[in-house]
Every structure is written in structure tokens, then in C-alpha cells.
């Protein structure tokens, strides 16, 4: 069972992705799996060409534009498959003619660079690889002579986040997989945004792409239909069978986001959650943070024990408190607390209590 008798969640889920979703969303998703809109059919057995699903897709696409304030601004919204990882090659396939600029801030950025190199020359403007990606490089210039600039807004593994995006004359592409809808940005400064749904948007299976129509159609490359953004734009994300369940649950999550005050309100709460946790990391003598303070992510906080002898004790305290999904990524070890939009502030407080109790235990 997912819920306690008082309808609170049974676990405090700090998983990096697939990750926490609001309780209300999960309950409604479960009901729709049994019967969607009282139609006598399960969400899992309706045609993607049925009116019920076309309405879902339309509302999902328009909510993305509404939440990002991009409506009426020449952007198309797509729900695709293949994860953010497919976007690493789909982006250059569509818009890299000769040369592109990339910022390397972690494993996901470097995977994007690896794929892009199959399509053209890559100018790596800066990298924080020299210190295992614990900071965001700042003193770099985005060149004018490239087809586009690519960056990763939030580095899920290392717990760093870009605070200030540099301006540039060339189109800007951003992988926002782990912080989309978590903070207010001027989204119109970007020409292409993509995000795998399973972090802050919905369940695994869908990838959202927000693309400015005017950047497409400039490459003379022949693009296979499924890899061509224009194919999916022309068919309103229904060229082939879309990930029906994931699109629907992402829609429920965006409705939840909107009714809870939208991105602005969520950003306030996310900042508060992150402040509570980082304050504890900084004052507690048993822990140290991983990311450089000024670049700390409000979504994924990375930290470790100063003395690893206490790991067993701390891990069992976490377990007893119902805290799950908090192990660090294998690239850096330690702990990682992912605090996506749906994470209640009380879960963060519970984690902080356990951290401060460690002092009495050792
Ligand atoms: C998780 C993640 C990816 C990979 O997403 P998939 O959907 O698994 O392909 C890419 N970029 C970032 C920033 C991520 O957090």
C-alpha cells in the first residue's frame, strides 16, 4: 500500500529518477488505469487516436506553453520517446550543420557531446571535469560562429545547477531533464528545451521537447522521419503511437503544478527545502557538501559523511525513518537527496532530523 491510514505517503522518496510524484496524481492515475473518464475503458487500452487521448495530448501541450509562458511565441511542444538520451543525437541531427558549442558540466553533458561529434565539429567552450564536475564553469564565451550552444541546466548526478545563463547570438539548446518547471526562467531565451519526464514532470516513457519553429529546416541533411522534429510537429506528436500513460500522468502533474500556484510558487517551496537541507549539511560536523556552494542545485543535493565508519549507523537510521532513494550516484558516492516539485517539505525536515540525530548516536 502506498498510503498510511492518515493518507500520508509511506516513504520519503528522495530518488533521482524515476522519482516522486504528488500523491493526488498517483491516485488519479491509478483510477484512470481502471476507468478513464467513466468510459468503461482503461487508460491503458484506449486508442491514441481516440478523442479522449487527443484531448489529453492537446491539454498537455498547451499546459507546457502556459507554464513556460511561451504561448503565442512560435514554439512547438512535442511528447516523444527514447528519453533525453535520444535528444543527444536528435538535436544535432536536426540543427547541426557544421559546428556546435557545448558546455561540459557533467556526465549527461559529455554524453550529449559524444553524440554530437557524430554530426559535426564540437567546440567545448568549458568543462568542470578537472574537479569531477563539482562546479559550473563561468568564464567562457559562447562563439558566434556555431550553429547552436548546448548546456545542461541541472546536473542530476553532481548536484550543480546553472544560476545564470549567458546570452548569445546563436540558438540556445538546454537539457532541463532534472529541473524543468522547478524555477522561473525566461524560457523564451532558449530555442530548444528537452527533458525526460521521469524526474520532475511525470513517469518514465515520455520526453518533452519545446522547440522554436524558426530554427528548423536549415540543415541540408536527410533526416529519418522518426528523428525529424518536423515530422512530429506536423502530426502533433501523433505520427506514431506516443507513450499514452506517461503523457497522461505528466498532464495530471502539470494540472497539479498549476493548481498549486505554478512554477513561481513551487520555486519558493523548492528553495526553502534546499535551504533547510544545505544548512544542515553546513552546520553538522558529520557531513560535507559535494558541490561548490554558489552552484548548488535546489533539486539534487549531494553530500557525504566525513567519517565513513558511521555509514552503517546512518543508513539504518535512514531506513528506520522511511527515507529511501538517497544513495549517491556511483560516479561520486556519498548521498544524494533529490527534492523534486512533489517532495513535501516534511520529508526534507525528516531527513534533517535524522542527520542531526546522528550526533547523539556516535
Ligand atoms: C536523467 C537525465 C538524462 C537521461 O535521461 P533518459 O531519459 O534516461 O535518457 C539526461 N540528462 C539529464 C540532465 C538527466 O538528469
Amino acid at each position: 500500500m502506498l498510503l498510511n491510514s492518515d493518507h500520508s505517503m509511506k516513504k520519503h522518496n528522495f530518488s533521482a529518477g524515476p522519482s516522486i510524484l504528488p500523491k493526488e496524481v498517483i491516485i488519479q492515475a491509478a483510477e484512470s488505469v481502471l476507468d478513464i473518464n467513466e468510459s468503461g475503458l482503461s487508460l491503458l487500452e484506449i486508442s491514441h487516436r481516440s478523442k479522449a487521448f487527443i484531448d489529453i495530448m492537446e491539454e498537455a501541450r498547451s499546459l507546457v506553453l502556459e507554464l513556460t509562458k511561451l504561448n503565442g511565441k512560435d514554439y512547438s511542444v512535442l511528447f516523444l520517446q527514447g528519453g533525453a538520451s535520444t535528444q543527444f543525437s536528435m538535436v544535432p541531427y536536426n540543427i547541426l550543420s557544421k559546428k556546435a558549442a557545448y558546455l561540459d558540466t557533467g556526465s549527461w553533458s559529455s554524453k550529449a557531446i559524444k553524440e554530437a561529434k557524430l554530426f559535426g565539429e564540437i567546440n567545448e567552450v568549458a568543462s568542470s571535469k578537472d574537479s569531477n564536475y563539482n562546479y559550473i564553469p563561468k568564464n567562457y564565451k559562447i562563439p558566434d560562429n556555431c550553429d547552436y550552444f548546448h548546456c545542461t541546466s541541472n546536473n542530476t548526478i553532481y548536484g550543480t545547477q546553472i544560476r545564470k545563463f549567458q546570452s548569445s547570438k546563436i540558438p540556445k539548446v538546454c537539457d532541463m531533464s532534472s529541473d524543468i518547471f522547478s524555477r522561473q526562467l525566461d524560457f523564451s531565451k532558449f530555442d530548444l528545451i528537452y527533458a525526460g519526464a521521469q524526474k520532475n514532470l511525470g513517469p518514465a516513457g515520455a520526453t518533452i521537447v519545446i522547440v522554436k519553429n524558426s530554427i528548423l529546416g536549415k540543415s541540408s541533411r536527410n533526416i529519418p522521419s522518426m528523428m525529424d522534429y518536423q515530422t512530429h510537429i506536423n502530426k502533433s506528436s501523433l505520427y506514431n503511437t506516443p507513450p499514452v500513460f506517461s503523457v497522461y500522468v505528466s498532464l495530471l502533474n502539470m494540472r497539479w503544478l498549476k493548481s498549486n500556484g505554478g512554477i513561481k510558487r513551487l520555486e519558493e517551496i523548492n528553495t526553502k527545502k534546499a535551504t533547510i537541507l544545505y544548512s544542515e549539511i553546513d552546520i553538522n560536523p558529520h557531513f560535507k557538501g559535494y558541490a561548490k556552494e554558489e552552484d548548488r542545485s535546489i533539486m539534487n543535493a549531494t553530500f557525504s559523511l566525513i567519517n565513513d565508519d558511521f555509514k552503517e549507523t546512518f543508513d539504518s537510521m535512514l531506513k528506520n525513518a522511511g527515507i529511501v532513494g538517497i544513495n549517491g550516484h556511483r560516479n561520486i558516492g556519498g548521498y544524494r537527496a533529490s527534492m523534486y516539485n512533489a517532495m513535501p517539505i516534511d520529508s526534507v525536515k525528516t531527513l534533517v532530523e535524522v542527520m542531526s540525530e546522528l550526533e547523539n548516536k556516535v
Side-chain angles (χ1 to χ4, degrees), residues 16-17 82-88 108-109 152-157 175-179 194-199 205-207 300 340:
S85 300
T86 296
Q87 295 309 308
F88 297 163
W108 298 119
S109 303
T152 311
S153 55
N154 183 69
N155 299 283
T156 328
I157 295 173
D175 175 0
M176 295 195 187
S177 290
S178 52
D179 69 351
Y194 62 89
Q198 72 275 16
K199 272 104 183 198
T207 309
N300 315 94
Y340 298 118

PDB file of all heavy atoms in Angstrom, residues 16-17 82-88 108-109 152-157 175-179 194-199 205-207 300 340, ligand 1:
ATOM      1  N   ALA A  16      16.387   9.910  -7.489  1.00  0.00           N
ATOM      2  CA  ALA A  16      16.771  10.885  -8.513  1.00  0.00           C
ATOM      3  C   ALA A  16      15.940  10.758  -9.784  1.00  0.00           C
ATOM      4  O   ALA A  16      15.849  11.685 -10.575  1.00  0.00           O
ATOM      5  CB  ALA A  16      18.247  10.739  -8.838  1.00  0.00           C
ATOM      6  N   GLY A  17      15.392   9.576 -10.028  1.00  0.00           N
ATOM      7  CA  GLY A  17      14.537   9.411 -11.204  1.00  0.00           C
ATOM      8  C   GLY A  17      14.610   8.002 -11.763  1.00  0.00           C
ATOM      9  O   GLY A  17      15.720   7.499 -11.854  1.00  0.00           O
ATOM     10  N   GLY A  82      12.153   7.632 -26.219  1.00  0.00           N
ATOM     11  CA  GLY A  82      13.605   7.488 -26.355  1.00  0.00           C
ATOM     12  C   GLY A  82      14.409   8.231 -25.300  1.00  0.00           C
ATOM     13  O   GLY A  82      15.634   8.185 -25.310  1.00  0.00           O
ATOM     14  N   GLY A  83      13.731   8.907 -24.397  1.00  0.00           N
ATOM     15  CA  GLY A  83      14.429   9.574 -23.299  1.00  0.00           C
ATOM     16  C   GLY A  83      15.216  10.795 -23.741  1.00  0.00           C
ATOM     17  O   GLY A  83      15.376  11.064 -24.940  1.00  0.00           O
ATOM     18  N   ALA A  84      15.741  11.496 -22.757  1.00  0.00           N
ATOM     19  CA  ALA A  84      16.605  12.638 -23.053  1.00  0.00           C
ATOM     20  C   ALA A  84      17.817  12.161 -23.848  1.00  0.00           C
ATOM     21  O   ALA A  84      18.355  12.886 -24.677  1.00  0.00           O
ATOM     22  CB  ALA A  84      17.042  13.323 -21.760  1.00  0.00           C
ATOM     23  N   SER A  85      18.228  10.912 -23.620  1.00  0.00           N
ATOM     24  CA  SER A  85      19.405  10.377 -24.316  1.00  0.00           C
ATOM     25  C   SER A  85      19.235  10.373 -25.836  1.00  0.00           C
ATOM     26  O   SER A  85      20.212  10.554 -26.564  1.00  0.00           O
ATOM     27  CB  SER A  85      19.697   8.957 -23.829  1.00  0.00           C
ATOM     28  OG  SER A  85      19.943   8.971 -22.447  1.00  0.00           O
ATOM     29  N   THR A  86      18.017  10.158 -26.321  1.00  0.00           N
ATOM     30  CA  THR A  86      17.801  10.223 -27.774  1.00  0.00           C
ATOM     31  C   THR A  86      17.947  11.663 -28.272  1.00  0.00           C
ATOM     32  O   THR A  86      18.393  11.901 -29.398  1.00  0.00           O
ATOM     33  CB  THR A  86      16.420   9.638 -28.140  1.00  0.00           C
ATOM     34  OG1 THR A  86      16.426   8.257 -27.786  1.00  0.00           O
ATOM     35  CG2 THR A  86      16.122   9.752 -29.628  1.00  0.00           C
ATOM     36  N   GLN A  87      17.605  12.619 -27.410  1.00  0.00           N
ATOM     37  CA  GLN A  87      17.766  14.024 -27.804  1.00  0.00           C
ATOM     38  C   GLN A  87      19.234  14.401 -28.002  1.00  0.00           C
ATOM     39  O   GLN A  87      19.543  15.319 -28.754  1.00  0.00           O
ATOM     40  CB  GLN A  87      17.104  14.963 -26.781  1.00  0.00           C
ATOM     41  CG  GLN A  87      15.588  14.810 -26.717  1.00  0.00           C
ATOM     42  CD  GLN A  87      14.953  14.897 -28.089  1.00  0.00           C
ATOM     43  OE1 GLN A  87      15.203  15.842 -28.834  1.00  0.00           O
ATOM     44  NE2 GLN A  87      14.143  13.906 -28.448  1.00  0.00           N
ATOM     45  N   PHE A  88      20.128  13.670 -27.332  1.00  0.00           N
ATOM     46  CA  PHE A  88      21.555  13.960 -27.523  1.00  0.00           C
ATOM     47  C   PHE A  88      21.940  13.831 -29.000  1.00  0.00           C
ATOM     48  O   PHE A  88      22.805  14.558 -29.484  1.00  0.00           O
ATOM     49  CB  PHE A  88      22.434  13.004 -26.697  1.00  0.00           C
ATOM     50  CG  PHE A  88      22.259  13.104 -25.204  1.00  0.00           C
ATOM     51  CD1 PHE A  88      22.712  12.091 -24.371  1.00  0.00           C
ATOM     52  CD2 PHE A  88      21.655  14.216 -24.624  1.00  0.00           C
ATOM     53  CE1 PHE A  88      22.571  12.177 -22.989  1.00  0.00           C
ATOM     54  CE2 PHE A  88      21.507  14.305 -23.241  1.00  0.00           C
ATOM     55  CZ  PHE A  88      21.967  13.275 -22.431  1.00  0.00           C
ATOM     56  N   TRP A 108      25.959  13.858 -18.172  1.00  0.00           N
ATOM     57  CA  TRP A 108      24.941  13.999 -19.221  1.00  0.00           C
ATOM     58  C   TRP A 108      25.428  14.930 -20.321  1.00  0.00           C
ATOM     59  O   TRP A 108      25.228  14.665 -21.502  1.00  0.00           O
ATOM     60  CB  TRP A 108      23.607  14.474 -18.630  1.00  0.00           C
ATOM     61  CG  TRP A 108      23.045  13.506 -17.639  1.00  0.00           C
ATOM     62  CD1 TRP A 108      22.796  13.734 -16.319  1.00  0.00           C
ATOM     63  CD2 TRP A 108      22.672  12.135 -17.882  1.00  0.00           C
ATOM     64  NE1 TRP A 108      22.298  12.600 -15.733  1.00  0.00           N
ATOM     65  CE2 TRP A 108      22.205  11.609 -16.655  1.00  0.00           C
ATOM     66  CE3 TRP A 108      22.680  11.297 -19.010  1.00  0.00           C
ATOM     67  CZ2 TRP A 108      21.762  10.289 -16.516  1.00  0.00           C
ATOM     68  CZ3 TRP A 108      22.237   9.980 -18.870  1.00  0.00           C
ATOM     69  CH2 TRP A 108      21.783   9.501 -17.651  1.00  0.00           C
ATOM     70  N   SER A 109      26.092  16.019 -19.941  1.00  0.00           N
ATOM     71  CA  SER A 109      26.658  16.917 -20.963  1.00  0.00           C
ATOM     72  C   SER A 109      27.654  16.162 -21.824  1.00  0.00           C
ATOM     73  O   SER A 109      27.659  16.309 -23.047  1.00  0.00           O
ATOM     74  CB  SER A 109      27.421  18.077 -20.330  1.00  0.00           C
ATOM     75  OG  SER A 109      26.632  18.808 -19.473  1.00  0.00           O
ATOM     76  N   THR A 152      23.470  21.979 -19.988  1.00  0.00           N
ATOM     77  CA  THR A 152      22.613  21.173 -19.109  1.00  0.00           C
ATOM     78  C   THR A 152      22.295  22.042 -17.893  1.00  0.00           C
ATOM     79  O   THR A 152      23.204  22.446 -17.170  1.00  0.00           O
ATOM     80  CB  THR A 152      23.380  19.906 -18.652  1.00  0.00           C
ATOM     81  OG1 THR A 152      23.965  19.281 -19.791  1.00  0.00           O
ATOM     82  CG2 THR A 152      22.455  18.936 -17.943  1.00  0.00           C
ATOM     83  N   SER A 153      21.017  22.357 -17.698  1.00  0.00           N
ATOM     84  CA  SER A 153      20.691  23.348 -16.658  1.00  0.00           C
ATOM     85  C   SER A 153      20.946  22.832 -15.255  1.00  0.00           C
ATOM     86  O   SER A 153      21.343  23.584 -14.369  1.00  0.00           O
ATOM     87  CB  SER A 153      19.230  23.789 -16.795  1.00  0.00           C
ATOM     88  OG  SER A 153      18.381  22.661 -16.771  1.00  0.00           O
ATOM     89  N   ASN A 154      20.724  21.538 -15.045  1.00  0.00           N
ATOM     90  CA  ASN A 154      20.892  20.968 -13.704  1.00  0.00           C
ATOM     91  C   ASN A 154      21.575  19.609 -13.838  1.00  0.00           C
ATOM     92  O   ASN A 154      21.118  18.753 -14.590  1.00  0.00           O
ATOM     93  CB  ASN A 154      19.519  20.813 -13.049  1.00  0.00           C
ATOM     94  CG  ASN A 154      19.619  20.301 -11.616  1.00  0.00           C
ATOM     95  OD1 ASN A 154      20.080  21.001 -10.734  1.00  0.00           O
ATOM     96  ND2 ASN A 154      19.205  19.067 -11.394  1.00  0.00           N
ATOM     97  N   ASN A 155      22.689  19.466 -13.105  1.00  0.00           N
ATOM     98  CA  ASN A 155      23.465  18.229 -13.212  1.00  0.00           C
ATOM     99  C   ASN A 155      23.069  17.271 -12.106  1.00  0.00           C
ATOM    100  O   ASN A 155      23.561  17.338 -10.976  1.00  0.00           O
ATOM    101  CB  ASN A 155      24.949  18.575 -13.199  1.00  0.00           C
ATOM    102  CG  ASN A 155      25.266  19.469 -14.384  1.00  0.00           C
ATOM    103  OD1 ASN A 155      25.374  19.002 -15.515  1.00  0.00           O
ATOM    104  ND2 ASN A 155      25.338  20.772 -14.141  1.00  0.00           N
ATOM    105  N   THR A 156      22.150  16.408 -12.482  1.00  0.00           N
ATOM    106  CA  THR A 156      21.459  15.493 -11.586  1.00  0.00           C
ATOM    107  C   THR A 156      22.416  14.661 -10.733  1.00  0.00           C
ATOM    108  O   THR A 156      22.140  14.378  -9.572  1.00  0.00           O
ATOM    109  CB  THR A 156      20.609  14.539 -12.455  1.00  0.00           C
ATOM    110  OG1 THR A 156      20.185  15.248 -13.608  1.00  0.00           O
ATOM    111  CG2 THR A 156      19.430  14.000 -11.706  1.00  0.00           C
ATOM    112  N   ILE A 157      23.531  14.271 -11.316  1.00  0.00           N
ATOM    113  CA  ILE A 157      24.459  13.368 -10.635  1.00  0.00           C
ATOM    114  C   ILE A 157      25.333  14.117  -9.637  1.00  0.00           C
ATOM    115  O   ILE A 157      25.570  13.657  -8.524  1.00  0.00           O
ATOM    116  CB  ILE A 157      25.333  12.636 -11.680  1.00  0.00           C
ATOM    117  CG1 ILE A 157      24.433  11.728 -12.538  1.00  0.00           C
ATOM    118  CG2 ILE A 157      26.473  11.856 -11.015  1.00  0.00           C
ATOM    119  CD1 ILE A 157      25.140  11.073 -13.713  1.00  0.00           C
ATOM    120  N   ASP A 175      19.291  21.008 -21.993  1.00  0.00           N
ATOM    121  CA  ASP A 175      18.770  19.783 -21.386  1.00  0.00           C
ATOM    122  C   ASP A 175      18.293  20.150 -19.978  1.00  0.00           C
ATOM    123  O   ASP A 175      19.100  20.423 -19.099  1.00  0.00           O
ATOM    124  CB  ASP A 175      19.896  18.733 -21.334  1.00  0.00           C
ATOM    125  CG  ASP A 175      19.489  17.455 -20.599  1.00  0.00           C
ATOM    126  OD1 ASP A 175      18.336  17.381 -20.119  1.00  0.00           O
ATOM    127  OD2 ASP A 175      20.325  16.528 -20.520  1.00  0.00           O
ATOM    128  N   MET A 176      16.966  20.209 -19.810  1.00  0.00           N
ATOM    129  CA  MET A 176      16.402  20.584 -18.497  1.00  0.00           C
ATOM    130  C   MET A 176      15.754  19.383 -17.818  1.00  0.00           C
ATOM    131  O   MET A 176      14.785  19.532 -17.058  1.00  0.00           O
ATOM    132  CB  MET A 176      15.369  21.713 -18.664  1.00  0.00           C
ATOM    133  CG  MET A 176      15.945  23.021 -19.156  1.00  0.00           C
ATOM    134  SD  MET A 176      14.778  24.376 -18.918  1.00  0.00           S
ATOM    135  CE  MET A 176      15.626  25.704 -19.774  1.00  0.00           C
ATOM    136  N   SER A 177      16.286  18.194 -18.092  1.00  0.00           N
ATOM    137  CA  SER A 177      15.645  16.969 -17.593  1.00  0.00           C
ATOM    138  C   SER A 177      15.347  16.984 -16.103  1.00  0.00           C
ATOM    139  O   SER A 177      14.303  16.503 -15.681  1.00  0.00           O
ATOM    140  CB  SER A 177      16.523  15.756 -17.897  1.00  0.00           C
ATOM    141  OG  SER A 177      16.537  15.504 -19.281  1.00  0.00           O
ATOM    142  N   SER A 178      16.272  17.509 -15.307  1.00  0.00           N
ATOM    143  CA  SER A 178      16.047  17.361 -13.864  1.00  0.00           C
ATOM    144  C   SER A 178      15.670  18.663 -13.160  1.00  0.00           C
ATOM    145  O   SER A 178      15.599  18.682 -11.935  1.00  0.00           O
ATOM    146  CB  SER A 178      17.277  16.728 -13.206  1.00  0.00           C
ATOM    147  OG  SER A 178      18.454  17.423 -13.558  1.00  0.00           O
ATOM    148  N   ASP A 179      15.385  19.724 -13.916  1.00  0.00           N
ATOM    149  CA  ASP A 179      14.842  20.888 -13.188  1.00  0.00           C
ATOM    150  C   ASP A 179      13.762  21.652 -13.945  1.00  0.00           C
ATOM    151  O   ASP A 179      13.382  22.753 -13.527  1.00  0.00           O
ATOM    152  CB  ASP A 179      15.962  21.834 -12.703  1.00  0.00           C
ATOM    153  CG  ASP A 179      16.677  22.569 -13.850  1.00  0.00           C
ATOM    154  OD1 ASP A 179      16.443  22.230 -15.024  1.00  0.00           O
ATOM    155  OD2 ASP A 179      17.473  23.478 -13.546  1.00  0.00           O
ATOM    156  N   TYR A 194      14.754  20.354 -23.884  1.00  0.00           N
ATOM    157  CA  TYR A 194      14.243  18.984 -23.797  1.00  0.00           C
ATOM    158  C   TYR A 194      14.394  18.453 -22.387  1.00  0.00           C
ATOM    159  O   TYR A 194      15.236  18.921 -21.612  1.00  0.00           O
ATOM    160  CB  TYR A 194      14.905  18.055 -24.815  1.00  0.00           C
ATOM    161  CG  TYR A 194      16.404  17.866 -24.680  1.00  0.00           C
ATOM    162  CD1 TYR A 194      16.930  16.853 -23.874  1.00  0.00           C
ATOM    163  CD2 TYR A 194      17.294  18.668 -25.382  1.00  0.00           C
ATOM    164  CE1 TYR A 194      18.302  16.656 -23.777  1.00  0.00           C
ATOM    165  CE2 TYR A 194      18.671  18.481 -25.274  1.00  0.00           C
ATOM    166  CZ  TYR A 194      19.167  17.477 -24.482  1.00  0.00           C
ATOM    167  OH  TYR A 194      20.528  17.287 -24.374  1.00  0.00           O
ATOM    168  N   ALA A 195      13.560  17.476 -22.059  1.00  0.00           N
ATOM    169  CA  ALA A 195      13.598  16.897 -20.713  1.00  0.00           C
ATOM    170  C   ALA A 195      12.935  15.536 -20.719  1.00  0.00           C
ATOM    171  O   ALA A 195      11.828  15.378 -21.238  1.00  0.00           O
ATOM    172  CB  ALA A 195      12.866  17.809 -19.724  1.00  0.00           C
ATOM    173  N   GLY A 196      13.607  14.562 -20.161  1.00  0.00           N
ATOM    174  CA  GLY A 196      12.971  13.268 -19.903  1.00  0.00           C
ATOM    175  C   GLY A 196      11.939  13.504 -18.806  1.00  0.00           C
ATOM    176  O   GLY A 196      12.195  14.243 -17.868  1.00  0.00           O
ATOM    177  N   ALA A 197      10.769  12.877 -18.922  1.00  0.00           N
ATOM    178  CA  ALA A 197       9.693  13.186 -17.974  1.00  0.00           C
ATOM    179  C   ALA A 197       9.965  12.691 -16.556  1.00  0.00           C
ATOM    180  O   ALA A 197       9.470  13.271 -15.597  1.00  0.00           O
ATOM    181  CB  ALA A 197       8.380  12.580 -18.474  1.00  0.00           C
ATOM    182  N   GLN A 198      10.788  11.670 -16.424  1.00  0.00           N
ATOM    183  CA  GLN A 198      10.800  10.904 -15.166  1.00  0.00           C
ATOM    184  C   GLN A 198      11.448  11.556 -13.963  1.00  0.00           C
ATOM    185  O   GLN A 198      11.561  10.954 -12.910  1.00  0.00           O
ATOM    186  CB  GLN A 198      11.434   9.530 -15.411  1.00  0.00           C
ATOM    187  CG  GLN A 198      12.942   9.543 -15.639  1.00  0.00           C
ATOM    188  CD  GLN A 198      13.330   9.813 -17.085  1.00  0.00           C
ATOM    189  OE1 GLN A 198      12.539  10.276 -17.873  1.00  0.00           O
ATOM    190  NE2 GLN A 198      14.572   9.516 -17.447  1.00  0.00           N
ATOM    191  N   LYS A 199      11.905  12.804 -14.115  1.00  0.00           N
ATOM    192  CA  LYS A 199      12.450  13.486 -12.945  1.00  0.00           C
ATOM    193  C   LYS A 199      11.426  14.446 -12.347  1.00  0.00           C
ATOM    194  O   LYS A 199      10.931  14.199 -11.283  1.00  0.00           O
ATOM    195  CB  LYS A 199      13.746  14.223 -13.291  1.00  0.00           C
ATOM    196  CG  LYS A 199      14.978  13.346 -13.142  1.00  0.00           C
ATOM    197  CD  LYS A 199      15.540  12.865 -14.417  1.00  0.00           C
ATOM    198  CE  LYS A 199      16.717  11.930 -14.239  1.00  0.00           C
ATOM    199  NZ  LYS A 199      17.490  11.826 -15.452  1.00  0.00           N
ATOM    200  N   GLY A 205       9.065   7.340 -19.784  1.00  0.00           N
ATOM    201  CA  GLY A 205       8.417   6.945 -21.040  1.00  0.00           C
ATOM    202  C   GLY A 205       8.224   8.095 -22.007  1.00  0.00           C
ATOM    203  O   GLY A 205       8.233   7.891 -23.215  1.00  0.00           O
ATOM    204  N   ALA A 206       8.053   9.296 -21.493  1.00  0.00           N
ATOM    205  CA  ALA A 206       7.872  10.450 -22.392  1.00  0.00           C
ATOM    206  C   ALA A 206       9.063  11.393 -22.258  1.00  0.00           C
ATOM    207  O   ALA A 206       9.683  11.487 -21.204  1.00  0.00           O
ATOM    208  CB  ALA A 206       6.589  11.204 -22.055  1.00  0.00           C
ATOM    209  N   THR A 207       9.376  12.045 -23.344  1.00  0.00           N
ATOM    210  CA  THR A 207      10.379  13.107 -23.334  1.00  0.00           C
ATOM    211  C   THR A 207       9.727  14.327 -23.931  1.00  0.00           C
ATOM    212  O   THR A 207       9.103  14.247 -24.999  1.00  0.00           O
ATOM    213  CB  THR A 207      11.591  12.728 -24.211  1.00  0.00           C
ATOM    214  OG1 THR A 207      12.033  11.446 -23.818  1.00  0.00           O
ATOM    215  CG2 THR A 207      12.711  13.741 -24.066  1.00  0.00           C
ATOM    216  N   ASN A 300      18.820  18.493  -6.621  1.00  0.00           N
ATOM    217  CA  ASN A 300      19.583  17.328  -6.167  1.00  0.00           C
ATOM    218  C   ASN A 300      20.717  17.809  -5.267  1.00  0.00           C
ATOM    219  O   ASN A 300      21.638  18.481  -5.732  1.00  0.00           O
ATOM    220  CB  ASN A 300      20.175  16.556  -7.350  1.00  0.00           C
ATOM    221  CG  ASN A 300      19.188  16.351  -8.482  1.00  0.00           C
ATOM    222  OD1 ASN A 300      19.146  17.149  -9.421  1.00  0.00           O
ATOM    223  ND2 ASN A 300      18.379  15.327  -8.399  1.00  0.00           N
ATOM    224  N   TYR A 340      12.481  16.987  -5.825  1.00  0.00           N
ATOM    225  CA  TYR A 340      11.694  17.494  -6.945  1.00  0.00           C
ATOM    226  C   TYR A 340      10.407  18.164  -6.437  1.00  0.00           C
ATOM    227  O   TYR A 340      10.080  18.082  -5.246  1.00  0.00           O
ATOM    228  CB  TYR A 340      11.394  16.361  -7.931  1.00  0.00           C
ATOM    229  CG  TYR A 340      12.670  15.777  -8.534  1.00  0.00           C
ATOM    230  CD1 TYR A 340      13.023  14.450  -8.330  1.00  0.00           C
ATOM    231  CD2 TYR A 340      13.528  16.584  -9.293  1.00  0.00           C
ATOM    232  CE1 TYR A 340      14.195  13.923  -8.881  1.00  0.00           C
ATOM    233  CE2 TYR A 340      14.693  16.065  -9.841  1.00  0.00           C
ATOM    234  CZ  TYR A 340      15.024  14.734  -9.637  1.00  0.00           C
ATOM    235  OH  TYR A 340      16.170  14.236 -10.173  1.00  0.00           O
TER     236      TYR A 340
HETATM  237  C1  LIG B   1      18.369  11.537 -16.433  1.00  0.00           C
HETATM  238  C2  LIG B   1      18.965  12.540 -17.311  1.00  0.00           C
HETATM  239  C3  LIG B   1      19.204  12.271 -18.676  1.00  0.00           C
HETATM  240  C4  LIG B   1      18.913  10.937 -19.319  1.00  0.00           C
HETATM  241  O1  LIG B   1      17.551  10.745 -19.430  1.00  0.00           O
HETATM  242  P1  LIG B   1      16.965   9.425 -20.132  1.00  0.00           P
HETATM  243  O2  LIG B   1      15.514   9.777 -20.192  1.00  0.00           O
HETATM  244  O3  LIG B   1      17.262   8.284 -19.209  1.00  0.00           O
HETATM  245  O4  LIG B   1      17.587   9.249 -21.439  1.00  0.00           O
HETATM  246  C5  LIG B   1      19.734  13.291 -19.448  1.00  0.00           C
HETATM  247  N1  LIG B   1      20.042  14.484 -18.917  1.00  0.00           N
HETATM  248  C6  LIG B   1      19.838  14.776 -17.611  1.00  0.00           C
HETATM  249  C7  LIG B   1      20.190  16.129 -17.086  1.00  0.00           C
HETATM  250  C8  LIG B   1      19.296  13.803 -16.760  1.00  0.00           C
HETATM  251  O5  LIG B   1      19.092  14.080 -15.467  1.00  0.00           O
END
